[in-house]
Amino acid sequence: MADDGLTIALRLALYLDLAASFGVAIFAVHALGRDERGSMIARRYRLFVGASAAIGSGLSLAGMAVLAKTMSGAQSYGELSIHVFEMIITGTPMGLAWSIRLLALMICVLLSASKLNPTSRFVWLAISSGVALATLAWAGHGAMSDGVRGYLQLASHVAHLWAAGAWVGALLAFLMLALGKPDEADGSLEMLSRTANGFARAGTLIVVTLAASGLINYWLIAGPSLEPLFTTLHGRLLLGKLALFGGMLGLAAANRFRLGPSLEASLATGHRALAAANLRRSLYAEATLAVLVLASVAWLGTLAPKLP
Ligand code: HEM
């Protein structure tokens, strides 16, 4: 596969992996009660965060190899010398961010297997996976400027990545609860109903942060003119992404105002199977759109945002 395609595929895998890892950890801190953080579902969340951190380390090593080949112009990976890696890792901001990511992911793996009390463990898991996710801002347009403008751009991209991660992770956490059988006595549907119906304020904060940081991202990368939105592949992909975002918003609103409340009502009447199936279907659809959004970003982050 040409290096460009491989670069985009690895960017997408890293966005998915690190967004999900951070999102599930922060969901466990936000939505689970202190007693629930030692439950079976919490154990699944913890193992998921640990496993995705390990996978994220592997993806980051592969990403560095592809980057070194692209930057050095080597024809094959066999030609790459230690010196090339040294130059990138110790001599560029992206290399420093990469090193911090590997360290944060290793801490994440150790924490997920640690005997810390469940609440502290999830808080530290959210912090270390959050650091790992934030470092992706140095691998795209987020790091294209210097000085004050550069700091603003990086801060906006980091806020955008954390908000995207919180949304993607919450979807995954809800789906892991929704996969329980309706008559299963482990309380997963009750927990799904409570957390889904209690997610409104966090959901609003995520959407407002995404919209505000997204507008700042655009303004600093391709703006203030809107023309590049129509005249560049970067812009057209961004428009496509915003359409997908609109679809995610619509499904999230349906979950909040219709499907979540009807699951809650069904728990009282006992007819929970249909309500659970409806919410599960909507969560799957929203998660599919989120994957397409991240795929569009994995690609547009490698493109020139303005015509030369
Ligand atoms: C109003 C909604 C949104 C706007 C205006 C927006 C805008 C943007 C812009 C302009 C960029 C920079 C693109 C580049 O690097 O060239 C970006 C990056 C990104 N967006 Fe969004 N976005 C929005 C919603 C979302 C949503 C819903 C998600 C995911 C669920 C998302 C995930 C991302 C990610 C992961 C990046 C890459 C950040 C990086 O690597 O530094 N965005 N967004």
Side-chain angles (χ1 to χ4, degrees), residues 11 15 136-137 140-142 157 160-161 164 167-168 210-211 214-215 217-218 221 234 238 241-242 245 248 290 293-294 297 300-301 305:
R11 281 171 56 85
Y15 281 137
L136 293 182
H141 291 134
H157 274 251
H160 204 74
L161 283 160
W167 195 342
V168 169
L210 277 169
L215 290 173
N217 291 353
Y218 180 78
I221 292 169
H234 176 274
L238 193 55
K241 175 192 166 185
L242 295 181
F245 168 67
M248 289 178 71
V293 165
L294 295 179
V297 174
L300 66 82

Side-chain angles (χ1 to χ4, degrees), residues 50-89:
S52 43
I55 293 168
S57 309
L59 290 170
S60 298
L61 292 170
M64 179 51 76
V66 175
L67 180 70
K69 183 167 180 274
T70 313
M71 285 176 81
S72 66
Q75 292 310 307
S76 72
Y77 292 97
E79 284 175 33
L80 291 173
S81 66
I82 295 292
H83 178 63
V84 173
F85 290 102
E86 260 174 24
M87 264 193 348
I88 299 173
I89 295 170

Side-chain angles (χ1 to χ4, degrees), residues 239-305:
L239 286 176
K241 175 192 166 185
L242 295 181
L244 293 166
F245 168 67
M248 289 178 71
L249 267 187
L251 289 164
N255 299 345
R256 178 173 168 179
F257 297 111
R258 212 159 43 80
L259 301 175
S262 85
L263 176 64
E264 191 174 12
S266 77
L267 295 180
T269 62
H271 304 303
R272 49 177 68 190
L274 181 62
N278 288 341
L279 182 56
R280 192 167 45 237
R281 203 174 305 118
S282 173
L283 289 169
Y284 269 127
E286 197 181 332
T288 306
L289 293 183
V291 172
L292 293 174
V293 165
L294 295 179
S296 68
V297 174
W299 187 5
L300 66 82
T302 65
L303 299 172

Side-chain angles (χ1 to χ4, degrees), residues 189-212:
L189 275 191
E190 283 75 7
M191 202 187 276
L192 173 63
S193 170
R194 184 179 56 75
T195 53
N197 288 305
F199 202 72
R201 204 180 298 166
T204 306
L205 179 65
I206 289 170
V207 170
V208 169
T209 306
L210 277 169

Side-chain angles (χ1 to χ4, degrees), residues 125-192:
L125 280 172
I127 292 171
S128 48
S129 58
V131 168
L133 179 59
T135 64
L136 293 182
W138 276 261
H141 291 134
M144 69 190 273
S145 309
D146 298 320
V148 175
R149 184 187 175 99
Y151 290 123
L152 175 63
Q153 197 157 13
L154 282 166
S156 177
H157 274 251
V158 169
H160 204 74
L161 283 160
W162 283 340
W167 195 342
V168 169
L171 282 174
L172 213 57
F174 288 142
L175 275 169
M176 286 162 87
L177 285 168
L179 288 174
K181 295 199 185 59
D183 55 3
E184 203 153 305
D186 69 351
S188 54
L189 275 191
E190 283 75 7
M191 202 187 276
L192 173 63

